Amino acid sequence: MNQINVVPLFATPVAMFTLELDNDKILKSFKKLSYTLVKEEDAFLNKHTYIGTDYTIVNKFPKLKVSLQESLDYYIKHILQFKADGQIIKSWATKTSPGGYSNTHRHANSWLTGCYYPFPEENTQVEFLRETPFEYDTERTTNNLWNSYRYRIMTLPNQLLIWPSYLLHRIRTNTGKQDRHSMAFTVLPKGPFGKHDALINFSPDNK
């Protein structure tokens, strides 16, 4: 057989960071926050999923905010290798009760999305899905980079995930006995972004 080269075209980077924070203290604070139930008919199907009422919640956790920004800078400059800066524009706490989940969705009106897990309960999974599934599908001998249409990540204590906001994802069913807590956030560029006719200036701190 002749030599074969295979190129993984247009990969979508989902970065996993482990932060060095007092996650137990953060989790205790998350449990005391005010939440509202996300109704099943709101935007996408949910069950026993709650969202925090404060959409700038990261400002209440200064050390966490610094760690998130450092990780975000690394993702943009060293993984994407963009000459750009990013700023967190919205941040909110989430709570998923036992048996709860959220269905497939993406975060509109943003560039990047992140989610921090202080100390997830057992079997906490986030699932990412391929945007365009195969027209013809069949059984696989092995799931791999080329044939998979979903990818599940088992989250760990003090873990931060960052990915492009267009990527479809969902919260898998909480099969544990405790509420699942996390903090999600969305990101826009900061300052000048792009060049020539595509140059746009995003105001600092989204002002």
Side-chain angles (χ1 to χ4, degrees), residues 71-97:
S71 301
L72 180 60
D73 291 342
Y74 186 90
Y75 181 90
I76 295 170
K77 299 182 184 299
H78 296 280
I79 297 177
L80 296 179
Q81 295 194 8
F82 285 169
K83 293 181 180 180
D85 294 304
Q87 57 183 326
I88 296 174
I89 54 170
K90 297 290 183 182
S91 57
W92 60 96
T94 65
K95 180 177 70 172
T96 305
S97 297

Side-chain angles (χ1 to χ4, degrees), residues 55-75:
Y55 285 89
T56 58
I57 191 64
V58 71
N59 293 326
K60 293 183 178 179
F61 300 89
K63 291 184 179 180
L64 174 59
K65 185 176 182 179
V66 170
S67 292
L68 296 184
Q69 188 63 53
E70 290 175 348
S71 301
L72 180 60
D73 291 342
Y74 186 90
Y75 181 90

Side-chain angles (χ1 to χ4, degrees), residues 127-143:
E127 184 173 68
F128 295 90
L129 297 100
R130 182 193 292 266
E131 180 74 13
T132 52
F134 297 103
E135 290 189 33
Y136 297 92
D137 205 358
T138 185
E139 294 184 52
R140 293 131 168 91
T141 55
T142 303
N143 290 324

Side-chain angles (χ1 to χ4, degrees), residues 112-132:
L112 303 172
T113 295
C115 195
Y116 167 69
Y117 306 88
F119 195 84
E121 302 299 336
E122 57 186 289
N123 298 325
T124 298
Q125 290 186 347
V126 179
E127 184 173 68
F128 295 90
L129 297 100
R130 182 193 292 266
E131 180 74 13
T132 52

Side-chain angles (χ1 to χ4, degrees), residues 30 33 35 50-54 57 91-95 182-184:
F30 279 10
L33 297 174
Y35 295 88
Y50 300 80
I51 190 168
T53 56
D54 184 352
I57 191 64
S91 57
W92 60 96
T94 65
K95 180 177 70 172
S182 65
M183 191 199 75

Side-chain angles (χ1 to χ4, degrees), residues 37-47 49 51 55 92 101-109 168-170:
L37 178 66
V38 181
K39 298 179 181 179
E40 290 192 15
E41 63 270 20
D42 286 350
F44 50 88
L45 184 64
N46 298 276
K47 182 179 181 181
T49 299
I51 190 168
Y55 285 89
W92 60 96
Y101 59 83
S102 75
N103 218 333
T104 305
H105 64 284
R106 61 171 62 86
H107 294 274
N109 301 330
L168 289 171
H169 60 284
R170 65 177 177 177

